[in-house]
mmCIF file of all heavy atoms in Angstrom:
data_model
loop_
_atom_site.group_PDB
_atom_site.id
_atom_site.type_symbol
_atom_site.label_atom_id
_atom_site.label_comp_id
_atom_site.label_asym_id
_atom_site.label_seq_id
_atom_site.Cartn_x
_atom_site.Cartn_y
_atom_site.Cartn_z
ATOM 1 N N GLY M 92 50.058 204.996 90.133
ATOM 2 C CA GLY M 92 49.075 205.021 91.187
ATOM 3 C C GLY M 92 49.485 204.455 92.527
ATOM 4 O O GLY M 92 48.649 204.292 93.467
ATOM 5 N N MET M 93 50.782 204.090 92.718
ATOM 6 C CA MET M 93 51.255 203.610 94.029
ATOM 7 C C MET M 93 51.982 204.732 94.788
ATOM 8 O O MET M 93 53.131 205.077 94.443
ATOM 9 C CB MET M 93 52.187 202.451 93.803
ATOM 10 C CG MET M 93 52.755 201.877 95.073
ATOM 11 S SD MET M 93 51.470 201.391 96.211
ATOM 12 C CE MET M 93 52.328 200.467 97.454
ATOM 13 N N PRO M 94 51.308 205.368 95.743
ATOM 14 C CA PRO M 94 51.967 206.462 96.442
ATOM 15 C C PRO M 94 53.053 206.055 97.477
ATOM 16 O O PRO M 94 53.930 206.884 97.728
ATOM 17 C CB PRO M 94 50.776 207.087 97.188
ATOM 18 C CG PRO M 94 49.800 205.970 97.394
ATOM 19 C CD PRO M 94 49.925 205.056 96.254
ATOM 20 N N ARG M 95 53.038 204.857 97.940
ATOM 21 C CA ARG M 95 53.982 204.386 98.962
ATOM 22 C C ARG M 95 55.080 203.568 98.281
ATOM 23 O O ARG M 95 55.029 202.336 98.358
ATOM 24 C CB ARG M 95 53.235 203.611 100.045
ATOM 25 C CG ARG M 95 52.149 204.409 100.733
ATOM 26 C CD ARG M 95 51.209 203.579 101.559
ATOM 27 N NE ARG M 95 50.668 202.394 100.864
ATOM 28 C CZ ARG M 95 49.674 202.386 100.037
ATOM 29 N NH1 ARG M 95 49.075 203.555 99.755
ATOM 30 N NH2 ARG M 95 49.267 201.331 99.450
ATOM 31 N N VAL M 96 56.025 204.209 97.694
ATOM 32 C CA VAL M 96 57.073 203.484 96.941
ATOM 33 C C VAL M 96 58.412 204.138 97.224
ATOM 34 O O VAL M 96 58.523 205.376 97.305
ATOM 35 C CB VAL M 96 56.806 203.389 95.458
ATOM 36 C CG1 VAL M 96 56.561 204.755 94.854
ATOM 37 C CG2 VAL M 96 57.800 202.596 94.679
ATOM 38 N N SER M 97 59.447 203.331 97.338
ATOM 39 C CA SER M 97 60.837 203.879 97.574
ATOM 40 C C SER M 97 61.749 202.882 96.905
ATOM 41 O O SER M 97 61.361 201.803 96.531
ATOM 42 C CB SER M 97 61.161 204.053 99.030
ATOM 43 O OG SER M 97 60.971 202.786 99.709
ATOM 44 N N TYR M 98 63.001 203.320 96.719
ATOM 45 C CA TYR M 98 63.960 202.462 96.020
ATOM 46 C C TYR M 98 65.096 202.061 96.994
ATOM 47 O O TYR M 98 65.460 202.842 97.902
ATOM 48 C CB TYR M 98 64.464 203.094 94.765
ATOM 49 C CG TYR M 98 65.688 203.987 94.953
ATOM 50 C CD1 TYR M 98 66.970 203.516 94.723
ATOM 51 C CD2 TYR M 98 65.499 205.356 95.261
ATOM 52 C CE1 TYR M 98 68.041 204.348 94.862
ATOM 53 C CE2 TYR M 98 66.599 206.192 95.395
ATOM 54 C CZ TYR M 98 67.855 205.663 95.178
ATOM 55 O OH TYR M 98 68.960 206.528 95.334
ATOM 56 N N LEU M 99 65.559 200.857 96.777
ATOM 57 C CA LEU M 99 66.714 200.349 97.410
ATOM 58 C C LEU M 99 67.561 199.579 96.458
ATOM 59 O O LEU M 99 67.047 198.612 95.886
ATOM 60 C CB LEU M 99 66.323 199.427 98.580
ATOM 61 C CG LEU M 99 67.419 198.816 99.447
ATOM 62 C CD1 LEU M 99 68.185 199.943 100.204
ATOM 63 C CD2 LEU M 99 66.907 197.793 100.372
ATOM 64 N N PRO M 100 68.749 200.085 96.121
ATOM 65 C CA PRO M 100 69.563 199.322 95.099
ATOM 66 C C PRO M 100 69.763 197.870 95.516
ATOM 67 O O PRO M 100 69.821 197.608 96.734
ATOM 68 C CB PRO M 100 70.852 200.115 95.055
ATOM 69 C CG PRO M 100 70.495 201.440 95.604
ATOM 70 C CD PRO M 100 69.444 201.233 96.556
ATOM 71 N N ASN M 101 69.899 197.022 94.603
ATOM 72 C CA ASN M 101 70.036 195.554 94.871
ATOM 73 C C ASN M 101 71.350 195.067 94.265
ATOM 74 O O ASN M 101 71.415 194.995 93.033
ATOM 75 C CB ASN M 101 68.866 194.826 94.276
ATOM 76 C CG ASN M 101 68.815 193.343 94.645
ATOM 77 O OD1 ASN M 101 69.547 192.928 95.500
ATOM 78 N ND2 ASN M 101 68.022 192.588 93.984
ATOM 79 N N PRO M 102 72.337 194.776 94.983
ATOM 80 C CA PRO M 102 72.455 194.884 96.467
ATOM 81 C C PRO M 102 72.624 196.336 96.840
ATOM 82 O O PRO M 102 72.957 197.167 96.042
ATOM 83 C CB PRO M 102 73.720 194.049 96.765
ATOM 84 C CG PRO M 102 74.555 194.167 95.522
ATOM 85 C CD PRO M 102 73.613 194.213 94.403
ATOM 86 N N PRO M 103 72.316 196.606 98.127
ATOM 87 C CA PRO M 103 72.526 198.009 98.599
ATOM 88 C C PRO M 103 73.889 198.493 98.218
ATOM 89 O O PRO M 103 74.895 197.793 98.445
ATOM 90 C CB PRO M 103 72.342 197.926 100.119
ATOM 91 C CG PRO M 103 71.456 196.718 100.260
ATOM 92 C CD PRO M 103 71.854 195.747 99.161
ATOM 93 N N SER M 104 73.943 199.753 97.762
ATOM 94 C CA SER M 104 75.211 200.326 97.271
ATOM 95 C C SER M 104 75.875 201.091 98.393
ATOM 96 O O SER M 104 75.229 201.698 99.259
ATOM 97 C CB SER M 104 74.851 201.259 96.148
ATOM 98 O OG SER M 104 75.921 202.039 95.831
ATOM 99 N N SER M 105 77.188 201.109 98.369
ATOM 100 C CA SER M 105 77.975 201.910 99.286
ATOM 101 C C SER M 105 77.657 203.426 99.025
ATOM 102 O O SER M 105 77.921 204.238 99.898
ATOM 103 C CB SER M 105 79.452 201.596 99.128
ATOM 104 O OG SER M 105 79.883 201.920 97.830
ATOM 105 N N ASN M 106 77.165 203.755 97.857
ATOM 106 C CA ASN M 106 76.830 205.095 97.560
ATOM 107 C C ASN M 106 75.707 205.635 98.570
ATOM 108 O O ASN M 106 75.624 206.830 98.790
ATOM 109 C CB ASN M 106 76.319 205.288 96.140
ATOM 110 C CG ASN M 106 77.428 205.017 95.142
ATOM 111 O OD1 ASN M 106 78.579 205.265 95.429
ATOM 112 N ND2 ASN M 106 77.014 204.614 93.935
ATOM 113 N N MET M 107 74.928 204.716 99.063
ATOM 114 C CA MET M 107 73.849 205.145 100.012
ATOM 115 C C MET M 107 74.530 205.651 101.294
ATOM 116 O O MET M 107 74.098 206.633 101.875
ATOM 117 C CB MET M 107 72.951 203.977 100.377
ATOM 118 C CG MET M 107 72.033 203.595 99.181
ATOM 119 S SD MET M 107 70.996 202.221 99.599
ATOM 120 C CE MET M 107 69.895 202.933 100.789
ATOM 121 N N LEU M 108 75.600 205.035 101.681
ATOM 122 C CA LEU M 108 76.276 205.483 102.936
ATOM 123 C C LEU M 108 76.938 206.785 102.677
ATOM 124 O O LEU M 108 76.899 207.699 103.509
ATOM 125 C CB LEU M 108 77.319 204.440 103.349
ATOM 126 C CG LEU M 108 76.811 203.110 103.729
ATOM 127 C CD1 LEU M 108 77.998 202.160 104.037
ATOM 128 C CD2 LEU M 108 75.895 203.195 104.950
ATOM 129 N N ASP M 109 77.544 206.971 101.474
ATOM 130 C CA ASP M 109 78.164 208.255 101.095
ATOM 131 C C ASP M 109 77.177 209.386 101.014
ATOM 132 O O ASP M 109 77.496 210.549 101.208
ATOM 133 C CB ASP M 109 78.941 208.114 99.806
ATOM 134 C CG ASP M 109 80.025 207.109 99.855
ATOM 135 O OD1 ASP M 109 80.512 206.815 101.000
ATOM 136 O OD2 ASP M 109 80.416 206.617 98.831
ATOM 137 N N ALA M 110 75.889 209.051 100.738
ATOM 138 C CA ALA M 110 74.871 210.035 100.567
ATOM 139 C C ALA M 110 74.269 210.453 101.946
ATOM 140 O O ALA M 110 73.367 211.353 101.970
ATOM 141 C CB ALA M 110 73.767 209.523 99.623
ATOM 142 N N GLY M 111 74.770 209.881 103.006
ATOM 143 C CA GLY M 111 74.219 210.249 104.330
ATOM 144 C C GLY M 111 72.883 209.661 104.610
ATOM 145 O O GLY M 111 72.104 210.212 105.482
ATOM 146 N N LEU M 112 72.497 208.569 104.056
ATOM 147 C CA LEU M 112 71.206 207.966 104.254
ATOM 148 C C LEU M 112 71.257 206.893 105.336
ATOM 149 O O LEU M 112 70.593 205.887 105.353
ATOM 150 C CB LEU M 112 70.643 207.321 103.036
ATOM 151 C CG LEU M 112 70.463 208.303 101.845
ATOM 152 C CD1 LEU M 112 70.071 207.522 100.597
ATOM 153 C CD2 LEU M 112 69.454 209.350 102.222
ATOM 154 N N ARG M 113 72.175 207.039 106.350
ATOM 155 C CA ARG M 113 72.330 206.060 107.363
ATOM 156 C C ARG M 113 71.186 206.028 108.347
ATOM 157 O O ARG M 113 70.617 207.095 108.664
ATOM 158 C CB ARG M 113 73.647 206.351 108.105
ATOM 159 C CG ARG M 113 74.867 206.190 107.209
ATOM 160 C CD ARG M 113 76.132 206.516 107.921
ATOM 161 N NE ARG M 113 77.212 206.458 106.920
ATOM 162 C CZ ARG M 113 78.374 207.002 107.119
ATOM 163 N NH1 ARG M 113 78.635 207.647 108.217
ATOM 164 N NH2 ARG M 113 79.272 206.885 106.235
ATOM 165 N N SER M 114 70.932 204.890 108.856
ATOM 166 C CA SER M 114 69.953 204.764 109.977
ATOM 167 C C SER M 114 70.482 203.771 110.941
ATOM 168 O O SER M 114 71.273 202.909 110.611
ATOM 169 C CB SER M 114 68.579 204.398 109.426
ATOM 170 O OG SER M 114 68.675 203.095 108.855
ATOM 171 N N SER M 115 70.028 203.825 112.181
ATOM 172 C CA SER M 115 70.535 202.887 113.121
ATOM 173 C C SER M 115 69.779 201.576 112.981
ATOM 174 O O SER M 115 68.655 201.498 112.563
ATOM 175 C CB SER M 115 70.278 203.399 114.555
ATOM 176 O OG SER M 115 68.878 203.608 114.750
ATOM 177 N N PRO M 116 70.491 200.422 113.127
ATOM 178 C CA PRO M 116 69.878 199.153 112.926
ATOM 179 C C PRO M 116 68.811 198.915 113.989
ATOM 180 O O PRO M 116 68.896 199.377 115.099
ATOM 181 C CB PRO M 116 71.088 198.167 113.070
ATOM 182 C CG PRO M 116 72.079 198.924 113.857
ATOM 183 C CD PRO M 116 71.899 200.346 113.533
ATOM 184 N N ARG M 117 67.836 198.171 113.593
ATOM 185 C CA ARG M 117 66.717 197.736 114.475
ATOM 186 C C ARG M 117 67.331 196.731 115.456
ATOM 187 O O ARG M 117 68.017 195.831 115.032
ATOM 188 C CB ARG M 117 65.607 197.183 113.672
ATOM 189 C CG ARG M 117 64.404 196.776 114.476
ATOM 190 C CD ARG M 117 63.321 196.284 113.573
ATOM 191 N NE ARG M 117 62.282 195.618 114.323
ATOM 192 C CZ ARG M 117 61.257 195.062 113.772
ATOM 193 N NH1 ARG M 117 61.106 195.025 112.518
ATOM 194 N NH2 ARG M 117 60.386 194.517 114.568
ATOM 195 N N PRO M 118 67.072 196.854 116.734
ATOM 196 C CA PRO M 118 67.562 195.878 117.732
ATOM 197 C C PRO M 118 66.981 194.513 117.555
ATOM 198 O O PRO M 118 65.816 194.401 117.117
ATOM 199 C CB PRO M 118 67.256 196.468 119.055
ATOM 200 C CG PRO M 118 66.078 197.396 118.803
ATOM 201 C CD PRO M 118 66.269 197.934 117.368
ATOM 202 N N ALA M 119 67.747 193.476 117.833
ATOM 203 C CA ALA M 119 67.223 192.116 117.750
ATOM 204 C C ALA M 119 66.107 191.928 118.745
ATOM 205 O O ALA M 119 66.113 192.568 119.843
ATOM 206 C CB ALA M 119 68.392 191.186 118.011
ATOM 207 N N PRO M 120 65.179 191.102 118.452
ATOM 208 C CA PRO M 120 64.134 190.828 119.417
ATOM 209 C C PRO M 120 64.654 190.296 120.751
ATOM 210 O O PRO M 120 65.627 189.562 120.817
ATOM 211 C CB PRO M 120 63.277 189.763 118.750
ATOM 212 C CG PRO M 120 63.899 189.386 117.476
ATOM 213 C CD PRO M 120 65.133 190.209 117.268
ATOM 214 N N THR M 121 63.995 190.669 121.801
ATOM 215 C CA THR M 121 64.425 190.200 123.108
ATOM 216 C C THR M 121 63.426 189.153 123.593
ATOM 217 O O THR M 121 62.225 189.245 123.352
ATOM 218 C CB THR M 121 64.504 191.351 124.117
ATOM 219 O OG1 THR M 121 63.273 191.999 124.196
ATOM 220 C CG2 THR M 121 65.581 192.370 123.678
ATOM 221 N N GLY M 122 63.927 188.187 124.325
ATOM 222 C CA GLY M 122 63.098 187.191 124.933
ATOM 223 C C GLY M 122 62.700 186.080 124.026
ATOM 224 O O GLY M 122 61.924 185.179 124.365
ATOM 225 N N ARG M 123 63.153 186.115 122.774
ATOM 226 C CA ARG M 123 62.830 185.041 121.805
ATOM 227 C C ARG M 123 63.898 185.002 120.729
ATOM 228 O O ARG M 123 64.528 185.994 120.444
ATOM 229 C CB ARG M 123 61.386 185.207 121.223
ATOM 230 C CG ARG M 123 61.275 186.377 120.266
ATOM 231 C CD ARG M 123 59.872 186.339 119.573
ATOM 232 N NE ARG M 123 59.684 187.570 118.804
ATOM 233 C CZ ARG M 123 59.941 187.664 117.497
ATOM 234 N NH1 ARG M 123 60.470 186.632 116.880
ATOM 235 N NH2 ARG M 123 59.716 188.744 116.896
ATOM 236 N N ARG M 124 63.947 183.834 120.109
ATOM 237 C CA ARG M 124 64.906 183.674 119.018
ATOM 238 C C ARG M 124 64.361 184.345 117.718
ATOM 239 O O ARG M 124 63.138 184.326 117.474
ATOM 240 C CB ARG M 124 65.045 182.150 118.764
ATOM 241 C CG ARG M 124 65.897 181.805 117.631
ATOM 242 C CD ARG M 124 66.198 180.358 117.465
ATOM 243 N NE ARG M 124 64.981 179.611 117.301
ATOM 244 C CZ ARG M 124 64.862 178.255 117.312
ATOM 245 N NH1 ARG M 124 65.961 177.584 117.452
ATOM 246 N NH2 ARG M 124 63.742 177.692 117.119
ATOM 247 N N LEU M 125 65.231 184.945 117.002
ATOM 248 C CA LEU M 125 64.880 185.517 115.674
ATOM 249 C C LEU M 125 64.758 184.385 114.714
ATOM 250 O O LEU M 125 65.647 183.603 114.459
ATOM 251 C CB LEU M 125 65.930 186.517 115.273
ATOM 252 C CG LEU M 125 65.761 187.210 113.914
ATOM 253 C CD1 LEU M 125 64.515 188.075 113.945
ATOM 254 C CD2 LEU M 125 67.001 188.040 113.630
#
Side-chain angles (χ1 to χ4, degrees):
M93 179 54 169
R95 300 166 311 279
V96 58
S97 56
Y98 86 96
L99 181 66
N101 187 13
S104 167
S105 60
N106 293 334
M107 290 178 68
L108 297 176
D109 298 338
L112 301 174
R113 297 181 183 158
S114 65
S115 59
R117 183 175 168 185
T121 57
R123 68 175 173 91
R124 176 173 60 187
L125 178 64

